[in-house]
Amino acid sequence: MMSDEWTESGQDDHSALVPKDATQHQESARASFASSVFNIMHAIMGSGILGLAYAMSNTGIIGFSLLLLFVAVMAAYSVHLLLVLCEQTALTTYEDLGFCAFKTTGKVMVAGAILIQNIGAMSSYLFVIKSELPAAIAGFLHNSYNGTPWYLNGQILLLITVIFVVLPLALLPKIEFLGYTSGLSILFMVYFTIVVVVKKWFVPCPLFNGTVNYFQNFSSDECKPKLLQISSKSAYAIPTMAFSFLCHTSVLPIYCELKRPSKSRMQKAVNIGMILSFSIYMLSALFGYLTFYANVNSQLLHSYSQYLPRDHIIMSVRICILFSVLLTVPLIHFPARKSFMLLFCSSCPFSWLCHILVTLVIQTVIVLLAIYVPNIQNIFGVVGSTTSTALLFIYPGLFYMQISRESLKSSRKLKALGLIILGILIGAVSLLVIIITWLHNEN
């Protein structure tokens, strides 16, 4: 399966598989340090930003800040382990590190996790379309309705958008031109954060727009921020953060494209990207929470939709986010389809029939998830506690333990082992509490 892409290096360790064109990749690398930081931020930031204010409402300001900082530091360190392995083996993708560590099993592990992670990310984006597109359309209309007309039905609008916009773009064999729009995503996230900060001073507490009091059972504590809070909903916090900080599948390709690539130079780019992303996440979560307090919605924009349905600035943010989503879903679809083909059609040559069928299967799955999952926090919770923790915590530590020739008692291997144990504990406990919460709610 790998014979056309790899040659034997003659070494007797796990770095025996070396890419033929690794040197050429490094020589032709043209990405500046600043653009690498930009690409890392784009890989990190996504729909997870919409769920962090809800996570803060369930953990408190201090609890959330400590957890977010912890996840960011762990994410940066796990990237450090991947970069060390990349330097040792000259491998350039997460899947190839999995193959180097555990042969086909390792590559399948990574591909499966990436597939599920990308499906979760795409379904969360479609969930945003389902919930925000009707509000965006209604914001331009001033009529009163008896019932919900079809053009304000989120599910109908979602199907129309997927069939006529997302699916045609995802079916293209190449989609590089959409990559040039990726920079808009970060600008939209920054704009979203600025609006969240500013709007904090224009939304009263308790929420009251003259006719509807959204805090029906208002008490004096409703408008006081909680510094530390623990409940069953707190179990969603770390998975949501893991979902929000996952960039590991993109780090190695970005490393290969870096001008004058070195581990320390790339680690510096990762650290800067993490710090900037952390700052944007922290500001949006803090001011989103301080605007709606315990009544913040699991999808932050929806909270503004309820209270400020025709606010022009909120409408502009909603349109920007929707535009970003429409262009991002097809981009995420490509690595998802690649992982699907690797898992189920690795020996098959390219065919349009297979290409179309796989695309339709993936699109159908994410549409069903977006329609039938009642809360975006469920997507963040389940995907974050499984594949996100695996890709962020478990696999980097596991692959380092297997590939590196350092002593088992070395500091780095002990930290890698701690990363594995930490990831397993976080994922297992979070998923267990989430499932128990679901069962309790059903009963």
Side-chain angles (χ1 to χ4, degrees):
M1 181 173 63
M2 306 283 290
S3 58
D4 294 335
E5 301 174 8
W6 305 91
T7 57
E8 296 293 333
S9 69
Q11 299 176 7
D12 59 354
D13 60 350
H14 290 285
S15 62
L17 293 173
V18 179
K20 293 177 181 178
D21 57 348
T23 303
Q24 290 88 333
H25 273 304
Q26 293 184 356
E27 291 175 351
S28 63
R30 285 180 257 174
S32 66
F33 181 84
S35 66
S36 296
V37 173
F38 179 86
N39 290 333
I40 290 166
M41 290 183 65
H42 180 246
I44 293 173
M45 301 184 68
S47 59
I49 194 174
L50 299 176
L52 291 176
Y54 181 77
M56 179 176 283
S57 72
N58 293 316
T59 54
I61 295 177
I62 294 177
F64 176 89
S65 302
L66 293 176
L67 288 175
L68 190 68
L69 180 62
F70 169 78
V71 173
V73 171
M74 291 298 100
Y77 184 73
S78 61
V79 168
H80 169 72
L81 293 182
L82 292 180
L83 292 176
V84 172
L85 292 178
C86 179
E87 190 176 54
Q88 291 178 357
T89 63
L91 300 178
T92 58
T93 68
Y94 209 150
E95 295 94 330
D96 291 334
L97 286 178
F99 182 85
C100 183
F102 299 105
K103 302 304 178 184
T104 303
T105 301
K107 196 160 190 174
V108 168
M109 286 165 52
V110 175
I114 291 174
L115 176 61
I116 297 173
Q117 172 72 27
N118 287 341
I119 286 176
M122 287 188 288
S123 61
S124 70
Y125 280 121
L126 294 189
F127 191 98
V128 173
I129 292 176
K130 184 186 75 171
S131 62
E132 292 304 322
L133 186 54
I137 294 175
F140 292 99
L141 305 175
H142 300 282
N143 301 325
S144 58
Y145 310 99
N146 293 322
T148 303
W150 69 267
Y151 51 85
L152 294 180
N153 185 302
Q155 295 185 5
I156 294 176
L157 291 176
L158 173 63
L159 290 174
I160 292 174
T161 303
V162 169
I163 292 172
F164 292 102
V165 180
V166 176
L167 183 59
L169 292 175
L171 282 171
L172 295 175
K174 294 183 179 181
I175 200 169
E176 288 91 343
F177 74 95
L178 281 182
Y180 295 106
T181 66
S182 63
L184 292 175
S185 298
I186 294 179
L187 295 179
F188 291 154
M189 296 299 175
V190 173
Y191 178 51
F192 169 80
T193 302
I194 293 173
V195 170
V196 169
V197 173
V198 172
K199 283 298 178 181
K200 155 64 182 125
W201 313 109
F202 293 91
V203 178
C205 186
L207 295 178
F208 187 77
N209 67 357
T211 57
V212 179
N213 187 345
Y214 287 102
F215 288 179
Q216 298 294 334
N217 300 312
F218 172 71
S219 68
S220 59
D221 292 334
E222 288 283 5
C223 297
K224 292 181 179 179
K226 301 292 190 297
L227 297 181
L228 189 63
Q229 183 167 310
I230 299 177
S231 67
S232 60
K233 293 182 179 179
S234 302
Y236 289 89
I238 291 185
T240 301
M241 295 172 189
F243 187 95
S244 302
F245 270 105
L246 188 66
C247 62
H248 296 52
T249 57
S250 303
V251 164
L252 298 187
I254 294 172
Y255 180 28
C256 294
E257 296 171 2
L258 178 65
K259 186 181 296 182
R260 300 191 307 277
S262 68
K263 181 170 66 66
S264 60
R265 184 172 164 81
M266 186 61 192
Q267 186 68 58
K268 184 179 179 181
V270 170
N271 293 343
I272 294 175
M274 289 279 185
I275 291 171
L276 293 175
S277 300
F278 174 88
S279 302
I280 293 173
Y281 280 161
M282 191 66 205
L283 284 173
S284 62
L286 177 62
F287 283 89
Y289 170 61
L290 293 178
T291 302
F292 300 101
Y293 296 93
N295 292 272
V296 66
N297 195 278
S298 60
Q299 203 271 72
L300 183 55
L301 271 179
H302 196 59
S303 299
Y304 292 101
S305 301
Q306 292 177 321
Y307 181 69
L308 301 170
R310 291 185 173 86
D311 183 274
H312 294 298
I313 296 179
I314 297 299
M315 288 169 61
S316 67
V317 171
R318 187 178 292 119
I319 292 171
C320 288
I321 295 297
L322 287 171
F323 179 75
S324 175
V325 164
L326 286 176
L327 296 180
T328 302
V329 172
L331 282 174
I332 301 176
H333 182 91
F334 273 69
R337 183 170 55 215
K338 176 186 173 184
S339 297
F340 187 99
M341 300 291 286
L342 178 64
L343 289 171
F344 303 106
C345 312
S346 60
S347 60
C348 300
F350 176 83
S351 73
W352 275 106
L353 178 61
C354 186
H355 178 86
I356 293 172
L357 287 177
V358 172
T359 301
L360 290 175
V361 167
I362 295 176
Q363 290 294 317
T364 301
V365 170
I366 63 175
V367 167
L368 290 176
L369 285 172
I371 289 177
Y372 290 107
V373 173
N375 193 309
I376 196 173
Q377 201 65 26
N378 292 332
I379 299 175
F380 294 152
V382 173
V383 176
S385 61
T386 53
T387 57
S388 295
T389 55
L391 292 168
L392 193 150
F393 295 110
I394 301 173
Y395 289 173
L398 193 62
F399 294 166
Y400 191 85
M401 292 288 291
Q402 179 69 13
I403 296 174
S404 177
R405 301 182 66 183
E406 294 178 9
S407 167
L408 289 175
K409 296 181 180 180
S410 66
S411 173
R412 200 175 276 162
K413 278 210 169 180
L414 290 176
K415 291 177 182 177
L417 179 60
L419 205 61
I420 297 170
I421 296 172
L422 188 66
I424 293 174
L425 289 176
I426 290 174
V429 172
S430 298
L431 185 60
L432 180 62
V433 175
I434 289 170
I435 293 174
I436 292 174
T437 302
W438 288 351
L439 297 175
H440 181 266
N441 291 339
E442 288 181 2
N443 292 331

